[in-house]
Structures are given as structure tokens and as C-alpha cells.
Amino acid sequence: MRPRFFLLLIFPFFISCSASRHYNPNKKFSKKQLQQDYTLLRHILEQKHPSLYWYTSKDSMDRYFDAGYNAITDSMTELQFGWKIIAPLTHFIHCGHTSFNMSKGWNHFIKNKIIPSFPLYLKVWKDTMMVIGNLNHINRLIDNGSFITSINGISNREMINYMFHFMVEDGYAKNVNYIRLSADFPYFHRNIYGLYNNYLVNYTDSLGNAKSEVIPYYAPKKDTTKKEKKLERKLKVRYTRRERLEYSRSLESDSAFALMTVNDFSKGHLKNFFRKSFRQMRRNKTKNLVIDIRANGGGDIINSVFLTKFLRNSSFKVADTADAVSNNLKPFTRYISHGFFNNIGLFLVTHKEKDGKYHFGYWERHTFRPKRRNHFKGKIFILTNGLTFSASSIFCNALKGQPNVTLVGEETGGGWYGNSGIMIPDITLPNTKIRVRLPFFRLVQYRHIPVKGTGVLPDVFVGPSWRDILNGVDTKIEKVKEIIHENDTLKKENAEALAK
């Protein structure tokens, strides 16, 4: 089976779209232009990235840089350059905040477009790939709940390991990438393996029978009229804005526990939300609090700290160290978003210490104290998984080990030892306009663990359950309910024993 397109060369009918007249996704950049972009990126990362050699030695990183440069043997489109050259390079840094993004022109071009791809959505964990959706509504051939064993002769384990080499992570905390693959497997498969006319899929059905099917790629129908598309986009934007605040945070209560969902530490007037929530829980005499941060990719550390102050029983800091390799972006200022203002910020907030690094002293020195008013003293359960990242992993580290706190779920995607971030502008490469995120500071967590590479580990591990996935059951919430019930039963039995 030969790929219909390598790394998804864009289809001619897209180019005719009026919204994309000024951007040509099929434009090829010369070998010289690509080498210029790549060389510039290498120089910026080598001189400004705070953690380039944190998980990969300099000798190894030099080999990866050289290998990427030597792989530029001919002209490429932006998409080819991004996925064939830049994505593997950023993977080897093992920094979850050093990811690449396509150009603004590409993102504008692709917005609201549904493009051909591998048709199956898969829930992926370890070496398991379970079908949970099918873009081909007619002649689906493979039912939900089937387990894929290979695609085009590539086994599930081999495929997952290979795809991870195009994705970023903190250290070796791969859990985040299982969730990314699960969220959009067709997207990653298309951009990494290319698009095929047909796919040979080996799988086992829900009864355990080994089967094989040849399935066609997903080919979307032609776009509707311009008027309909314009109305659809307008309604979509309004819906997104209306729902965004409710999605970012919520508080629900019943007789057993209060469930606080915090999907982002940047949006939704969080400090007011936290104040009101803990006041309400005090009035309701809430004894069990479940905090769901499974979709929280981080955000403002200040908001993470603010929530921690309502829960932690003792004073704490954010970081043992927070340092940068430089206090300015020169001579690369013009290639980095808001470069002028970032130079001013770096100069004002950092100071050079004996180790030669520029330290962000506030995060290293400032001690945060628990809230007295409305401080929560009951049982706390924190739900985590691979999407629990950055400021969320800092939040988990600050609370893990406290007697009334239990982390339930899976290893966080954010590094437990530390991560790179705080200020994260984009590098924009001058020819292709591809963007690469550049964190300024390496942050080592307060009272960090001695071993690097993992995310924050849960106290009670609850992994994916294929039966619960198919039935729409929230496995982790159910586990918390079970623990609360057991605790209540034990208290009742102890009270009865004392009464006797």
C-alpha cells in the first residue's frame, strides 16, 4: 500500500477557497531556506534554552542537531519541514514546553476545514489501541470496542513508540502523549505516516476473535455554500465563547462530596471562584472535596498557588530554583515574540548568582502561607492524568504527602522534579514562519524528589478501563466514591465499637 500523500500534501480543492488565497500550503521552500531556519533555531536553543541538556547530554543533542540538518536534502513544504525535521528535534529535548506549531498562515488556512485522514479514533494506553469512533459513517467495518493490533503491518506497540518520537514530554512522563493520541489519532497518524488510499487493519473484536479489514481513508464531502459556512463559523465562535467560562471551572455538591473542576489556571476569574467556592463549602460543612485537574494543562502559577493556600496546612514555596541561562534574548530578539518587552522583563526580575545563571528570586525565596479564612480541613482527593501539566504538577507537588490529601488517577504529564516555563514566547523562523516555543526558566520544584524524569505519581493508581470507556463511566470518580464510602463505613464501625 503506497501512501497517497507523503506528510499530507494539501489537496487542490482547498487552494480555491477564498479565505486562503494568500497562503499556498503546497509552496516549497528551498533547501537553503530550510537550512537557514534550522540553523537559526539551533543557535537560539543552544544559547537561550534553560534545560536543553537536562535529560539529553550535549554530545547526544549535538548528534540530533546534526542529524536534523543532514535530513534536509531537498526542498519541502512547511508541513513536511515541521513534521519531518522540527518535531523529532523538539522531542529529543524532553521539555513539554518546547513544542512546535505551524505558521499563522497555515493555521488560518486550515481553520474550520475537515481534511482527509485515517478514519478511526482510538483510545491509546500502553500497547493498547481501542476503537472509540469512526469518521466513515457508512460501511464502518470495524466496531467500537475492537482492539487494533496492527495498521499496514506495523504493530500497535511499534506504532505508538514511533509516534512518540514526534511528540514532546517533560522528561520521560509519556502519559500525556497517550492522551494526545487518544484525542486525535487521525491527525497524528496522517502527519507522521502520511495518507493512504486504504489501510490494512488487524484487530480483535469484542469477543476476542482475530480479524482483518481493509478500510478506506476518510474523505470529507465538499464544502457547503459560502453563506452556510459563514453562518456555521459565526455560530461556532459564539458557542465557544459562551461555554468557555463554564468549561474552565465549576463546583458541584451532593451529600457525599463537593466536586471542583479546574481545567485551566489562567481563565475564568479564578481567585473569585476559589473564594466563593471555599466559603460555600464552609457553610455547607463539606467533609470531602474532589478536585478534578485531569484537563488542566497549567497556566498562571499565581492562581495555582492561590488554590494551594486554601488546602495546604503549612507554609510552602514554589521552587527550590528558577533560573535562566541569560537575562536577555540578544542577538535573537527580533525572532522571538514580544522580544523587546521580554528583554525588559528578564532584566528586571532576574539576578546573576555564583553559578552563572540568572535567577528569578521571587519564586525561590517567597514563602506562601495557608489561608486562615475558609481553609479546607476535610478529606481532599485530587484527580490526575497525563494532561495534568505545568502549574498543575506544581500544585500536585505542593499537596502530595499531606495526611488529608490523596492523589487519585494516573501519573501527571508535568515533571515532578521540575519543568521549564514561567515565560514561554514563540520563536518564529523567518522563512517558513514555523513557531517553536522557548521557555526562559528551568524550575526545580520546592522540596523536589531526588530522581528526575517522571511526572507526579498518584497515591491511588486508577488507569483506563476499556469497559468503563465504552459505557461512559468515569472510572476515577467511581474510585473516589468507593474510598469515601469505605472511610464513612469505617468511621461508623469505630463509633459503634466505642459506644459498646
Side-chain angles (χ1 to χ4, degrees):
M1 296 181 184
R2 293 186 177 182
R4 187 178 179 110
F5 302 98
F6 180 70
L7 291 172
L8 186 61
L9 294 178
I10 303 303
F11 314 98
F13 66 84
F14 281 159
I15 298 176
S16 64
C17 296
S18 60
S20 306
R21 285 177 182 171
H22 303 296
Y23 178 84
N24 180 5
N26 287 331
K27 176 184 176 180
K28 288 203 169 185
F29 296 89
S30 69
K31 176 181 176 180
K32 182 179 180 180
Q33 288 176 308
L34 299 174
Q35 288 175 335
Q36 288 174 343
D37 275 4
Y38 188 86
T39 301
L40 173 65
L41 176 61
R42 176 174 183 170
H43 288 162
I44 294 175
L45 292 175
E46 288 179 330
Q47 296 180 43
K48 303 299 179 181
H49 196 289
S51 311
L52 189 62
Y53 310 118
W54 203 353
Y55 296 101
T56 306
S57 68
K58 187 180 186 307
D59 288 344
S60 296
M61 202 67 228
D62 286 344
R63 288 197 297 270
Y64 295 137
F65 275 126
D66 292 342
Y69 185 88
N70 293 333
I72 306 172
T73 58
D74 201 352
S75 60
M76 297 181 190
T77 64
E78 177 190 336
L79 191 66
Q80 290 173 327
F81 182 59
W83 280 94
K84 185 178 180 180
I85 305 298
I86 304 299
L89 176 67
T90 54
H91 163 78
F92 288 122
I93 300 172
H94 292 285
C95 169
H97 289 102
T98 309
S99 56
F100 93 96
N101 195 0
M102 301 294 289
S103 69
K104 292 181 180 179
W106 166 270
N107 287 341
H108 179 73
F109 163 79
I110 208 69
K111 185 178 181 181
N112 296 325
K113 287 186 175 68
I114 302 175
I115 59 179
S117 66
F118 178 77
L120 302 179
Y121 276 88
L122 308 176
K123 173 64 179 177
V124 180
W125 70 97
K126 294 185 178 180
D127 60 351
T128 302
M129 302 166 68
M130 185 179 75
V131 179
I132 56 174
N134 196 327
L135 291 168
N136 288 328
H137 298 292
I138 302 175
N139 297 326
R140 292 185 173 226
L141 299 177
I142 302 177
D143 294 330
N144 287 358
S146 300
F147 293 90
I148 305 300
T149 55
S150 71
I151 300 173
N152 289 348
I154 304 173
S155 71
N156 49 12
R157 183 186 294 273
E158 181 184 356
M159 184 175 300
I160 293 168
N161 289 338
Y162 182 71
M163 294 174 84
F164 275 8
H165 281 83
F166 296 80
M167 306 169 77
V168 299
E169 63 199 14
D170 268 355
Y172 311 107
K174 299 181 182 296
N175 204 26
V176 63
N177 287 330
Y178 288 116
I179 298 178
R180 287 169 177 159
L181 286 179
S182 300
D184 203 347
F185 188 87
Y187 165 81
F188 286 103
H189 192 276
R190 179 188 68 231
N191 287 338
I192 294 171
Y193 284 101
L195 185 68
Y196 291 73
N197 285 314
N198 295 288
Y199 298 86
L200 174 60
V201 180
N202 292 319
Y203 67 100
T204 58
D205 63 17
S206 57
L207 299 177
N209 300 312
K211 294 184 176 182
S212 180
E213 290 285 356
V214 175
I215 61 175
Y217 76 98
Y218 168 62
K221 296 180 180 179
K222 289 186 177 181
D223 291 343
T224 54
T225 65
K226 293 180 181 179
K227 184 176 180 180
E228 289 172 335
K229 287 193 295 182
K230 184 176 180 181
L231 177 61
E232 183 180 347
R233 287 196 299 269
K234 189 175 181 181
L235 290 173
K236 187 174 181 179
V237 170
R238 286 182 178 176
Y239 176 82
T240 301
R241 288 174 180 172
R242 187 174 65 249
E243 296 295 323
R244 188 174 296 159
L245 187 62
E246 294 181 6
Y247 171 79
S248 66
R249 83 290 186 277
S250 64
L251 180 69
E252 303 173 27
S253 299
D254 62 21
S255 58
F257 60 87
L259 172 61
M260 176 184 288
T261 302
V262 185
N263 290 331
D264 191 292
F265 275 126
S266 293
K267 301 172 183 176
H269 307 289
L270 282 172
K271 288 186 177 181
N272 286 336
F273 167 70
F274 293 144
R275 289 190 189 97
K276 292 177 182 178
S277 295
F278 284 99
R279 181 169 62 245
Q280 178 181 331
M281 284 186 279
R282 177 181 60 80
R283 291 171 177 172
N284 292 343
K285 298 181 179 180
T286 301
K287 296 180 179 179
N288 297 291
L289 170 61
V290 181
I291 302 176
D292 188 351
I293 53 172
R294 287 175 290 178
N296 193 319
D300 192 337
I301 296 177
I302 288 293
N303 286 330
S304 168
V305 167
F306 194 78
L307 175 58
T308 305
K309 290 161 72 174
F310 282 100
L311 304 169
R312 185 173 164 112
N313 295 333
S314 59
S315 298
F316 64 100
K317 296 179 182 179
V318 166
D320 282 345
T321 60
D323 55 53
V325 296
S326 174
N327 69 341
N328 65 72
L329 302 172
K330 298 174 183 179
F332 309 112
T333 303
R334 65 192 176 111
Y335 302 111
I336 298 174
S337 59
H338 311 294
F340 174 77
F341 296 103
N342 281 320
N343 276 336
I344 295 174
L346 285 169
F347 178 78
L348 292 175
V349 304
T350 64
H351 65 281
K352 191 174 184 179
E353 293 193 357
K354 293 179 181 180
D355 60 2
K357 302 289 182 65
Y358 292 84
H359 288 251
F360 199 146
Y362 176 80
W363 296 119
E364 296 176 347
R365 296 189 304 269
H366 191 80
T367 299
F368 299 93
R369 293 177 174 79
K371 292 277 186 182
R372 292 183 178 180
R373 188 174 184 181
N374 298 324
H375 188 274
F376 189 82
K377 298 179 181 179
K379 294 289 185 181
I380 302 165
F381 301 88
I382 302 174
L383 305 183
T384 64
N385 66 7
L387 293 182
T388 307
F389 207 80
S390 194
S392 295
S393 64
I394 294 173
F395 171 75
C396 291
N397 179 68
L399 289 167
K400 185 174 173 64
Q402 186 168 291
N404 65 328
V405 174
T406 305
L407 272 62
V408 179
E410 302 168 72
E411 176 186 358
T412 68
W416 193 356
Y417 182 85
N419 59 60
S420 299
I422 300 180
M423 300 166 66
I424 318 173
D426 284 339
I427 303 166
T428 300
L429 303 181
N431 294 314
T432 59
K433 306 301 180 184
I434 281 177
R435 293 165 290 167
V436 178
R437 301 179 78 204
L438 175 66
F440 284 164
F441 293 92
R442 181 173 70 172
L443 186 150
V444 177
Q445 295 242 42
Y446 175 62
R447 294 183 178 175
H448 57 83
I449 60 169
V451 180
K452 299 186 293 185
T454 71
V456 182
L457 300 178
D459 301 306
V460 178
F461 175 78
V462 183
S465 162
W466 67 270
R467 287 189 177 87
D468 286 349
I469 293 169
L470 289 178
N471 294 324
V473 176
D474 190 331
T475 310
K476 295 175 178 61
I477 284 286
E478 292 304 313
K479 182 61 179 181
V480 170
K481 290 180 180 178
E482 178 186 324
I483 295 172
I484 292 173
H485 177 72
E486 290 175 354
N487 289 342
D488 289 345
T489 301
L490 183 61
K491 284 182 181 179
K492 184 178 180 181
E493 290 175 351
N494 288 339
E496 290 174 350
L498 288 174
K500 292 179 181 179

